[in-house]
Structure formats: structure tokens, C-alpha cells
């Protein structure tokens, strides 16, 4: 109950846009994690997906919260645009991981269009400098709302951090388009 209250409080507070901590040009940490696509479990491996093209990796605090549902729906609505540009999308969270199979196929969120991975204790988020913090206070065990675009060579080419879910798709889609046009390496 306390964890749910903390998540709700964290998501209710508006955050100012800020640059994510892994800057463009930095090698993205490789990872594998238990994941779901349209409810089906599998192991997601970043290295395997980078062989296909750029990866849009977005961290979100918790499945089945208002902002995270919105962000997942926005990514699901745009996923065909990402795919047309050769990019794949993966959402990663440490919140409500026991509900990710359901979340991955729910038409109000992911709609079965891209995978979501479990990050117990926010271990992957920590490697990406993406743990949740509110007004300078760390929220242990939760991932923040941070999006990265990672080029096929494993380098971060774009990073965006904002607790408001509304602009993550626009930010990452613009970066993928710039990469495709040769403007980002």
C-alpha cells in the first residue's frame, strides 16, 4: 500500500524537463531482462535488437498508473512509424512487474505492439542513471521516466527525461528521424 501511495504521489507531481544523465555518445549498458509482448513471456536482449537497427528504450515508473498508461498508449500508436524507420521500442519498469504480461496486451496501454520488460529493484534503470527521484529525493527501487535512443553501434544518440509522459514519443521519434537522415551518429 505504501509503495502504491509513493508511486501515485510521484506521478502526480509535475517535473521540469531535464537532460537524462547518459549523454549522447556514451556506450549504452547492455542488458537482458524478462519481458512480455502481447502477454507472451520472453527474454529481451538489447544486443540482439541493436542488430536490427536503433532501439528506443524508455523507462517508466509503473504499469497501470495514469501517466504510464498514457505513455504506453502513445508509443503503441506511433510504433509503426518507429518500425518504418528501422527502430524498435522497449519499455522497462520496476513498478508492478507482476502485471506486465497483462499490461503488454492491454489495448489501453501497449496494445501488444511492443515489448515491456521487468526491472526488479530498478537495476537496469540504475545502470542508465534513470532511477526515479522527486525534488532531489531518490525513490528507491523505482525507475523514472527517461527515454533513450540507442544507435545500432550501441551509442546513445538521444536522451530525454521528464516525468510528464506527453512528449517522450515526439522526442524519440524526432531523434530516430534525425538518425535516419544521417544527422545523428
Amino acid at each position: 500500500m505504501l509503495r502504491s501511495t509513493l508511486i501515485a504521489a510521484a506521478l502526480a507531481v509535475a517535473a521540469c524537463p531535464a537532460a537524462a544523465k547518459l549523454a549522447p555518445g556514451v556506450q549504452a549498458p547492455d542488458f537482458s531482462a524478462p519481458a512480455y509482448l502481447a502477454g507472451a513471456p520472453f527474454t529481451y536482449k538489447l544486443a540482439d535488437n541493436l542488430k536490427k537497427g536503433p532501439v528506443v528504450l524508455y523507462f517508466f515508473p509503473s504499469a497501470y498508473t495514469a501517466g504510464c498508461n498514457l505513455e504506453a498508449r502513445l508509443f503503441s500508436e506511433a510504433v509503426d512509424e518507429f518500425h518504418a524507420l528501422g527502430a524498435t521500442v522497449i519499455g522497462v519498469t520496476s513498478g508492478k512487474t507482476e502485471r506486465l504480461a497483462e499490461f503488454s496486451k492491454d489495448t489501453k496501454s501497449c496494445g501488444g505492439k511492443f515489448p515491456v520488460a521487468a526491472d526488479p529493484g530498478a537495476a537496469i534503470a540504475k545502470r542508465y542513471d534513470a532511477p526515479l527521484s522527486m525534488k532531489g529525493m531518490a525513490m528507491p527501487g523505482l525507475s523514472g521516466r527517461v527515454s533513450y535512443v540507442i544507435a545500432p553501434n550501441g551509442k546513445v544518440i538521444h536522451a530525454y527525461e521528464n516525468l510528464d509522459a506527453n512528449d517522450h514519443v515526439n522526442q524519440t521519434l524526432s531523434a530516430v528521424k534525425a538518425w535516419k537522415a544521417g544527422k545523428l551518429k
Side-chain angles (χ1 to χ4, degrees):
M1 183 69 178
L2 177 60
R3 184 175 171 102
S4 296
T5 303
L6 287 174
I7 292 170
L11 298 176
V13 176
C16 297
K21 295 177 185 171
L22 288 187
V26 171
Q27 187 70 31
D30 192 22
F31 70 91
S32 63
Y36 299 90
L37 177 60
F42 72 102
T43 299
Y44 178 88
K45 296 178 181 179
L46 178 63
D48 290 348
N49 284 276
L50 288 172
K51 292 174 187 173
K52 302 172 193 173
V55 171
V56 175
L57 166 63
Y58 83 93
F59 291 93
F60 61 103
S62 181
Y64 289 113
T65 57
C68 297
N69 290 352
L70 170 65
E71 184 176 31
R73 184 177 52 77
L74 293 173
F75 270 109
S76 73
E77 290 170 356
V79 79
D80 290 338
E81 288 182 78
F82 285 106
H83 290 168
L85 295 165
T88 59
V89 174
I90 176 75
V92 176
T93 188
S94 57
K96 296 183 187 170
T97 57
E98 71 283 354
R99 296 193 64 197
L100 282 183
E102 178 186 351
F103 186 73
S104 74
K105 63 183 175 181
D106 193 329
T107 57
K108 294 176 185 168
S109 55
C110 304
K113 294 187 177 184
F114 64 91
V116 287
D119 183 17
I124 299 167
K126 288 173 190 162
R127 293 179 64 207
Y128 276 83
D129 291 328
L132 182 61
S133 65
M134 302 296 298
K135 296 183 181 185
M137 291 179 37
M139 306 290 284
L142 292 175
S143 48
R145 191 175 313 283
V146 180
S147 298
Y148 291 101
V149 178
I150 305 166
N153 65 3
K155 301 282 184 178
V156 171
I157 57 174
H158 181 76
Y160 180 70
E161 180 177 15
N162 191 331
L163 198 53
D164 185 332
N166 286 296
D167 207 32
H168 285 261
V169 169
N170 292 333
Q171 288 282 327
T172 55
L173 188 57
S174 292
V176 171
K177 287 177 181 177
W179 173 84
K180 186 77 171 178
K183 295 177 183 174
L184 292 177
K185 304 258 185 238

